[in-house]
Amino acid sequence: MENYRLISLTSQISKLFESIIRDTVVCHLEENRLILDSQHVFRKGRSCLSNLLTFLDKVSGYIDTNESVDVVFLDFAKAFDKVPHQRLIQKLLSHKISGKLFNWITDWLLNRRQSLHKWNNV
């Protein structure tokens, strides 16, 4: 079971719409300074790689100046897949996301569940 991933059976139009919604939410978070500058994923011009490079630069700086540095790596495997929808809805409200956008996201999340699909002989 551990080798199987949750898959999205969402149409291409829905995926495009989700992308537009994501961009709108991220823009709102950035404009209102509700997202830390250290957040890289889901932001234009940033990625997991840019986050890693920023981190590596910081650690290298400590090493260059003979400062000690401790690093702890945590693996939040499939963390987003496990976020309770009600908690996500409360987070949207706390970040002042409301109106039609909030209603659309809430309607999309309600009664939605994730399932594992096993692909035989693929």
Side-chain angles (χ1 to χ4, degrees), residues 38-121:
S38 60
Q39 173 69 39
H40 284 247
V41 181
F42 302 119
R43 297 177 78 183
K44 288 189 187 305
R46 298 182 187 202
S47 65
C48 289
L49 178 59
S50 67
N51 193 9
L52 181 60
L53 292 172
T54 300
F55 169 77
L56 183 60
D57 184 56
K58 187 169 242 177
V59 170
S60 296
Y62 289 136
I63 292 170
D64 289 344
T65 59
N66 290 326
E67 294 181 60
S68 63
V69 61
D70 295 321
V71 178
V72 177
F73 291 96
L74 301 174
D75 182 12
F76 295 109
K78 301 175 187 158
F80 187 74
D81 296 337
K82 297 175 183 175
V83 173
H85 292 164
Q86 200 58 37
R87 188 175 300 158
L88 181 57
I89 289 169
Q90 290 302 317
K91 193 65 150 174
L92 292 171
L93 284 172
S94 73
H95 283 5
K96 308 276 191 275
I97 294 173
S98 59
K100 290 181 182 180
L101 177 60
F102 175 79
N103 292 337
W104 183 88
I105 294 171
T106 303
D107 289 345
W108 186 76
L109 289 173
L110 290 177
N111 299 317
R112 190 174 178 99
R113 59 189 172 89
Q114 298 164 340
S115 62
L116 291 172
H117 292 274
K118 183 176 180 179
W119 296 96
N120 293 323
N121 302 323

